[in-house]
Amino acid sequence: PSPKSFQPNGASGEALRCEIEELKQKDLALDQEIAQLLSEGYSLEELDKHISLLHEYNEIKDAGQMLLGKLAVIRGVTTKQLYPEYDLELSD
């Protein structure tokens, strides 16, 4: 089989090379951001803790969104209509 047959969704080799290059650039940018934070006095442990807390926050937020969605369905309203009732901002 040709290498082309292994490409997902018929993607061209050039498109994959571009995607790889973009990911390399993002990786480099993240490495630079980490280096900047370390130079500002943050430790890797602190950064790991912040990342862990952000993951936990996102999981809790997702659960809250799911509950709001279910409540909205039960009440026959949109989730957006529930926000004022619970003192939530649309950006929350």
Side-chain angles (χ1 to χ4, degrees), residues 10-83:
S12 72
E14 183 61 29
L16 291 175
R17 281 189 286 280
C18 287
E19 186 175 350
I20 290 169
E21 186 57 37
E22 287 175 16
L23 290 171
K24 286 180 180 179
Q25 292 300 319
K26 286 180 182 180
D27 184 49
L28 179 62
L30 288 172
D31 285 344
Q32 290 172 342
E33 189 175 341
I34 289 169
Q36 175 67 32
L37 290 169
L38 291 173
S39 74
E40 292 174 6
Y42 292 96
S43 69
L44 288 177
E45 292 79 20
E46 278 182 295
L47 295 175
D48 286 341
K49 179 67 175 174
H50 285 281
I51 290 169
S52 175
L53 289 171
L54 282 170
H55 284 295
E56 184 177 349
Y57 167 81
N58 285 328
E59 288 173 6
I60 292 168
K61 184 178 176 182
D62 290 345
Q65 288 293 326
M66 184 183 69
L67 290 172
L68 275 176
K70 289 183 182 288
L71 183 59
V73 168
I74 290 168
R75 291 189 182 177
V77 298
T78 66
T79 304
K80 183 178 177 180
Q81 290 171 309
L82 293 176
Y83 274 59

Side-chain angles (χ1 to χ4, degrees), residues 57 61 65 68 83 86-92:
Y57 167 81
K61 184 178 176 182
Q65 288 293 326
L68 275 176
Y83 274 59
Y86 295 98
D87 295 322
L88 298 172
E89 299 291 327
L90 289 177
S91 59
D92 286 342

